[in-house]
C-alpha cells in the first residue's frame, strides 16, 4: 500500500501523508479535520485493524498523549468525529461499570420486571451478569463501525436511559459510585445533538 492504508471495505482509509504531517505538527486545521474524519471510522475497528493501520493509529494516539486525548481531539471536529467522541464516552462508561456488583444487582432487579427495556430487545443479553452493559457498548461500537450512526446514537440513547433507571439503586448499594445517570445522559445528549445537526 502507498499513501493510503486500507481496510477490506472500500472507503475505509487512513492517509499516511496526513498522519506524517500530523505527528510532525505540520498539519493545518483543515487537514486535521480530514484526518479526524478518517480516524473516526478507523477507531471503531481498533480490535481488528491490519498491522499497518494499527501502527498508524498508534502514532496518532501517542502524538496526542493517549486515548483520552484522542477522544478530546476528535471532539473538536463536527460531524462523525464529534459523534464518535461522544459515543466513546458512553461506551467507556458501560465498559467500566459493567462488572460493578452494585450495578449488576440494580440491573438484575430492574430486569425482573422488564426483561427488555424499550429499544434494547435484540441487543441486551438474555441473562444479567458482569458483561451485560459491556455487551451494549459492543453493539453501539459495531453500529458506528458499520456507518449506521443514527442507529448507534439511538441505541446509545436507549442504553443511557437504562443506566439512568438503575443508577439510583446502584448508588444505594454503593454510595461511592459516581453519578452514572448524569454521565450517561450528558454523553448521549451531546451525541444526539450532533447527529441531529447532520440530519440523521
Amino acid at each position: 500500500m502507498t499513501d493510503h492504508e486500507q481496510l477490506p471495505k472500500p472507503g475505509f482509509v487512513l492517509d499516511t501523508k496526513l498522519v506524517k504531517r500530523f505527528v510532525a505538527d505540520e498539519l493545518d486545521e483543515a487537514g486535521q479535520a480530514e484526518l479526524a474524519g478518517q480516524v473516526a471510522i478507523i477507531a471503531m475497528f481498533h480490535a481488528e485493524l491490519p498491522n499497518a493501520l494499527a501502527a498508524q493509529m498508534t502514532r496518532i494516539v501517542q502524538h496526542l498523549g493517549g486515548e483520552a486525548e484522542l477522544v478530546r481531539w476528535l471532539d473538536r471536529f463536527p460531524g462523525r468525529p464529534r459523534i464518535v467522541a461522544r459515543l466513546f464516552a458512553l461506551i467507556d462508561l458501560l465498559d467500566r461499570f459493567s462488572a460493578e456488583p452494585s450495578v449488576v444487582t440494580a440491573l438484575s432487579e430492574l430486569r425482573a420486571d422488564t426483561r427488555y427495556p424499550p429499544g434494547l430487545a435484540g441487543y441486551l443479553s438474555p441473562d444479567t451478569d458482569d458483561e451485560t452493559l459491556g455487551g451494549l457498548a459492543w453493539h453501539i461500537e459495531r453500529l458506528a463501525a458499520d456507518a449506521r450512526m443514527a442507529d448507534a446514537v439511538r441505541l446509545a440513547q436507549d442504553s443511557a436511559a437504562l443506566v439512568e433507571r438503575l443508577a439510583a439503586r446502584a448508588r444505594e448499594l454503593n454510595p461511592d459510585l459516581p453519578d452514572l445517570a448524569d454521565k450517561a445522559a450528558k454523553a448521549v445528549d451531546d451525541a444526539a445533538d450532533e447527529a441531529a445537526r447532520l440530519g440523521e
Side-chain angles (χ1 to χ4, degrees):
M1 297 183 193
T2 54
D3 292 337
H4 290 79
E5 300 294 351
Q6 191 160 352
L7 286 170
K9 288 187 177 183
F12 287 62
V13 298
L14 199 55
D15 189 317
T16 57
K17 286 184 177 178
L18 291 178
V19 175
K20 288 175 184 176
R21 292 176 60 198
F22 180 67
V23 299
D25 290 321
E26 297 172 352
L27 197 59
D28 62 16
E29 195 70 6
Q32 289 194 45
E34 183 180 354
L35 182 61
Q38 295 175 9
V39 169
I41 297 172
I42 299 297
M44 291 298 182
F45 291 89
H46 60 87
E48 55 199 79
L49 290 178
N51 289 340
L53 269 175
Q56 295 286 57
M57 281 294 296
T58 298
R59 291 180 69 195
I60 293 169
V61 172
Q62 288 178 342
H63 178 69
L64 289 166
E67 296 286 347
E69 288 74 14
L70 173 68
V71 171
R72 280 194 284 273
W73 176 71
L74 287 173
D75 196 56
R76 287 174 41 199
F77 304 100
R80 181 191 291 270
R82 188 168 292 157
I83 294 171
V84 166
R86 294 171 185 191
L87 288 179
F88 269 137
L90 180 67
I91 287 168
D92 179 64
L93 181 81
L94 294 171
D95 281 336
R96 274 196 297 137
F97 293 98
S98 186
E100 162 60 41
S102 61
V103 171
V104 175
T105 298
L107 179 57
S108 181
E109 292 175 359
L110 187 156
R111 295 188 73 194
D113 294 326
T114 307
R115 173 58 68 189
Y116 295 103
L120 298 180
Y123 297 109
L124 204 58
S125 60
D127 300 320
T128 303
D129 56 28
D130 60 6
E131 296 181 358
T132 303
L133 291 184
L136 290 177
W138 184 87
H139 282 294
I140 294 168
E141 195 167 328
R142 287 294 85 193
L143 288 170
D146 289 338
R148 297 170 59 189
M149 298 305 291
D151 291 334
V153 171
R154 194 172 302 113
L155 178 57
Q157 290 174 306
D158 292 332
S159 299
L162 176 65
V163 171
E164 290 179 60
R165 289 179 62 190
L166 65 82
R169 175 58 177 151
R171 288 192 83 177
E172 282 181 11
L173 297 168
N174 181 3
D176 292 330
L177 277 183
D179 187 347
L180 300 181
D182 182 66
K183 287 179 178 294
K186 176 72 167 65
V188 171
D189 287 347
D190 287 347
D193 289 346
E194 188 63 24
R197 281 192 284 272
L198 290 179
E200 294 190 37

